[in-house]
Amino acid sequence: MSPRIGAVTLWVMAQDDALIERLEMYYDAVPRPRSRTEECGPFTLFLATSGWPYYARPRLGQAASATPDDVRQVLRRQQEIGVPQALEWVDEMTPGLAETVESVGVAVARCPLLVLEGTPRGYAGSARMLEPADRDTVVASRAAVSIGFTHGGTATGDEGIAERDAAMKSTFAQVDEALAARVVAGDIRFAGAFVPAEPELGPVGGGSYTPVGGVAEIAGVAVLPAFRRRGLAVQLSHVLAADALGRGVSTVFCSAQSDDVARVYERVGFRRVGTACIAEVNPDHG
């Protein structure tokens, strides 16, 4: 390796380290406006006061080497409170935690963590941002997302409009007054994907982002299996990233379920910088 190549490599690594630290700050900040916190050993437990439940994360600023007993303690506490037993963290910020969690019998999903470089590539197509007046459309798009994640991945399938409509009364799809207020304030932004030749079908996919301190995570991007392989997920990612940049966000990132899903984001201009870890205890886990 030449000195110049070595210097460039070190500079890129330093930039990625700074990015990951910024993402870690975001992960700690984003749940706080609608949750209360509880310190549990080396973890911070976020307890949502409205909407979807949160998780526990390694305490900010403390690169703790959690023990198996620490992990068991926080999972027991979540069980006592009646919230999902879930942990999330960035592998590069808390190295070794994945192996510790797995040692107590909890599976860890390792998800590619990606950051947008420059402006998003591609085009909006039939995807568009949804505004506060589009409340019913937001509900339908969130229902489509719930079906998309239930049948994850990028493969096509039979699940379509009927399944979306059946899911519209689910907890995930509903837009309560607290969420509606966040939409009006711009604290969360939603997008929907539509079939160009059949707009009357309504949204067949969706996604969102939450901006905090100049950083935004694109999350929940999914398309009904019956409408996959049409470029709709790429279009959703494009419009969400473009909207975030247009509203003053400087760092747009996302985590992907798999390498196949990561390749969808890479088509928009995202680059992998790390690994997001997610550990969830199944209801029947002892």
Side-chain angles (χ1 to χ4, degrees):
M1 180 183 295
S2 72
R4 177 172 175 76
I5 294 175
V8 170
T9 301
L10 289 173
W11 182 83
V12 171
M13 291 174 62
Q15 293 294 104
D16 286 352
D17 288 346
L19 269 174
I20 289 171
E21 287 184 11
R22 195 170 190 204
L23 302 189
E24 182 76 359
M25 295 284 289
Y26 173 91
Y27 276 130
D28 181 81
V30 75
R32 292 182 181 271
R34 67 173 190 92
S35 67
R36 61 184 180 85
T37 61
E38 184 176 308
E39 303 304 332
C40 188
F43 296 97
T44 298
L45 177 56
F46 294 96
L47 303 170
T49 54
S50 65
W52 208 246
Y54 281 121
Y55 37 71
R57 293 186 58 81
R59 191 178 307 159
L60 185 65
Q62 179 179 323
S65 38
T67 67
D69 283 344
D70 291 328
V71 174
R72 293 189 188 97
Q73 180 186 5
V74 71
L75 293 176
R76 278 197 303 268
R77 181 58 182 152
Q78 289 174 316
Q79 187 175 40
E80 290 169 1
I81 299 170
V83 299
Q85 293 172 277
L87 304 173
E88 295 189 12
W89 68 96
V90 177
D91 189 53
E92 288 75 11
M93 290 298 297
T94 317
L97 180 56
E99 291 74 18
T100 301
V101 172
E102 288 171 333
S103 76
V104 304
V106 180
V108 175
R110 293 166 171 83
C111 304
L113 189 61
L114 306 101
V115 171
L116 180 67
E117 289 191 322
T119 56
R121 297 197 295 264
Y123 57 95
S126 60
R128 65 176 175 85
M129 298 303 301
L130 304 178
E131 303 303 331
D134 299 320
R135 187 164 176 168
D136 290 343
T137 307
V138 171
V139 171
S141 70
R142 283 165 61 84
V145 167
S146 71
I147 299 299
F149 275 99
T150 300
H151 304 276
T154 60
T156 58
D158 296 330
E159 296 79 14
I161 300 301
E163 288 75 13
R164 179 203 67 188
D165 291 349
M168 284 178 64
K169 294 188 181 300
S170 67
T171 301
F172 178 83
Q174 288 303 300
V175 177
D176 60 18
E177 293 310 312
L179 180 56
R182 293 177 65 209
V183 173
V184 170
D187 293 337
I188 186 168
R189 296 278 291 161
F190 289 103
F194 303 82
V195 179
E198 300 176 277
E200 70 279 2
L201 293 178
V204 298
S208 65
Y209 74 85
T210 302
V212 176
V215 180
E217 179 183 19
I218 293 179
V221 173
V223 175
L224 291 168
F227 297 93
R228 289 175 180 163
R229 303 292 175 89
R230 305 186 189 191
L232 296 178
V234 173
Q235 293 172 14
L236 280 165
S237 303
H238 174 90
V239 299
L240 287 162
D243 189 75
L245 293 176
R247 289 172 173 264
V249 170
S250 57
T251 301
V252 181
F253 79 102
C254 63
S255 60
Q257 283 182 313
S258 65
D259 290 335
D260 285 343
V261 176
R263 282 189 277 274
V264 172
Y265 289 113
E266 287 169 350
R267 289 169 59 187
V268 184
F270 285 82
R271 177 179 65 87
R272 183 167 181 168
V273 297
T275 302
C277 293
I278 302 171
E280 297 178 296
V281 176
N282 294 325
D284 58 351
H285 182 85

